[in-house]
Amino acid sequence: GVNDLSLIGALPCFCGILALAVAERSLSGDLEPEQKYLLTLMMYPLEVLWFELLHWLASPMGDNGFLPRQFRAVLFMDVFSDLNEMAGLSDEEKRHVDMRRDKVQEALNTTRSALRKWEAVPRRWLTLSQYRMRKQVQKSYNATADALVDFMEKNNLPIPTEDDRSWADLPPALKRDDPFVGMVLGPFNFWVSAGVTSKWYWDIEGNFPHARGGVLYEKPSSVKVLDLDAAMSVCKDFKRQVEGITHGFVEENFSHSDSESETGSSFGHS
């Protein structure tokens, strides 16, 4: 017959519940402190019995070359995922997506522009904190982009386009149209003396000819800075825009390559 050990495995719990049910109580319903729970003594031999039966069930039927006596397969069904896939979008929901499509595309382009510039920063310029934050922004962007592509594909909707070219490969005309045009990156640190650091900024667009290699030690007050906090902010806005059309939260635990240069997804590339 079928050896169902689930009941035996639950017997120790039943013994504990029964011991509490028959225990002496005060008028207010509280357990009396000075009493013996004899039924709980059965929990330990029942637990040993359950493990012995599990060991017997997993043992081979003959010698060690045989299979265990019984296999038990448990199938997990994601009911809610199946319902979501079958339901699809109504006409009203599709109109809602169409209304927000331009905002999602704009947020995508803005986030990609910020990441493009920060991905051009050499690793040796970054502190450990900046390096980790850059990877965090990349991970958040990838997870949001994957969720958006997944949603669009399941509902047969046009997938937004992504320009995944690096800053070096971007044509001059597109560099001039960059949302963060005229801004410098930073701040970066360099050691002046023991324990003393100073800040500098990177003129990635080459707007200051006197800055050797784009390094600005003294930034004009009128020049704005695109720091990693700003990059994370625009990435969070992109995530909010996507969640606004998918009606759900974007999970950021997708498995991506650890290579920091691999930012991208299944978007249609321009």
Side-chain angles (χ1 to χ4, degrees):
V2 178
N3 298 299
D4 191 355
L5 299 182
S6 58
L7 179 60
I8 297 178
L11 284 178
C13 298
F14 292 150
C15 289
I17 293 172
L18 186 60
L20 292 175
V22 301
E24 296 181 1
R25 296 177 180 271
S26 63
L27 295 178
S28 60
D30 298 328
L31 290 171
E32 293 291 346
E34 300 295 334
Q35 60 178 308
K36 297 179 179 180
Y37 300 93
L38 298 178
L39 283 175
T40 58
L41 296 177
M42 298 176 59
M43 299 170 62
Y44 303 100
L46 285 174
E47 193 76 11
V48 173
L49 175 63
W50 182 56
F51 278 111
E52 286 298 322
L53 288 175
L54 281 177
H55 182 267
W56 172 81
L57 192 64
S59 63
M61 291 181 290
D63 57 25
N64 291 334
F66 281 74
L67 292 174
R69 299 177 185 274
Q70 180 180 346
F71 285 103
R72 181 171 300 279
V74 181
L75 301 180
F76 295 93
M77 183 175 64
D78 189 352
V79 180
F80 300 100
S81 177
D82 293 341
L83 289 175
N84 289 335
E85 290 180 3
M86 291 186 295
L89 291 178
S90 64
D91 293 338
E92 183 178 352
E93 289 173 328
K94 287 184 177 180
R95 285 194 297 269
H96 173 74
V97 173
D98 287 335
M99 290 174 59
R100 301 183 66 95
R101 188 191 309 276
D102 291 341
K103 289 186 177 180
V104 172
Q105 182 70 65
E106 182 182 358
L108 187 156
N109 294 340
T110 303
T111 306
R112 190 68 194 93
S113 297
L115 264 176
R116 181 184 293 113
K117 284 190 169 183
W118 269 101
E119 286 170 349
V121 177
R123 169 65 182 90
R124 64 183 182 275
W125 291 0
L126 303 174
T127 63
L128 182 59
S129 177
Q130 288 176 320
Y131 174 71
R132 289 176 174 173
M133 190 169 184
R134 181 171 69 175
K135 294 196 72 172
Q136 184 181 354
V137 176
Q138 291 171 325
K139 180 181 178 181
S140 177
Y141 172 80
N142 284 332
T144 305
D146 286 348
L148 177 59
V149 171
D150 218 23
F151 176 80
M152 292 299 193
E153 285 181 343
K154 286 181 179 179
N155 294 282
N156 297 319
L157 296 171
I159 299 176
T161 58
E162 175 196 38
D163 191 342
D164 61 349
R165 288 174 291 185
S166 66
W167 177 258
D169 296 333
L170 208 63
L174 291 181
K175 289 182 178 180
R176 289 192 295 268
D177 292 336
D178 187 86
F180 306 101
V181 65
M183 301 177 70
V184 295
L185 302 181
F188 306 101
N189 296 325
F190 72 96
W191 295 96
V192 178
S193 60
V196 180
T197 61
S198 182
K199 294 180 180 179
W200 61 277
Y201 302 87
W202 186 27
D203 175 26
I204 189 174
E205 299 173 8
N207 295 324
F208 298 91
H210 65 276
R212 181 179 299 179
V215 176
L216 280 177
Y217 294 105
E218 294 183 5
K219 179 186 70 67
S221 58
S222 59
V223 176
K224 295 182 179 180
V225 179
L226 174 62
D227 55 17
L228 280 169
D229 288 331
M232 177 62 79
S233 178
V234 296
C235 188
K236 287 181 178 179
D237 180 65
F238 173 45
K239 182 179 178 181
R240 284 192 295 268
Q241 294 294 340
V242 171
E243 289 175 346
I245 65 173
T246 60
H247 302 289
F249 293 101
V250 174
E251 297 292 339
E252 296 185 6
N253 55 353
F254 290 83
S255 59
H256 293 285
S257 170
D258 289 336
S259 173
E260 61 184 74
S261 62
E262 293 186 5
T263 301
S265 59
S266 304
F267 280 119
H269 301 298
S270 61

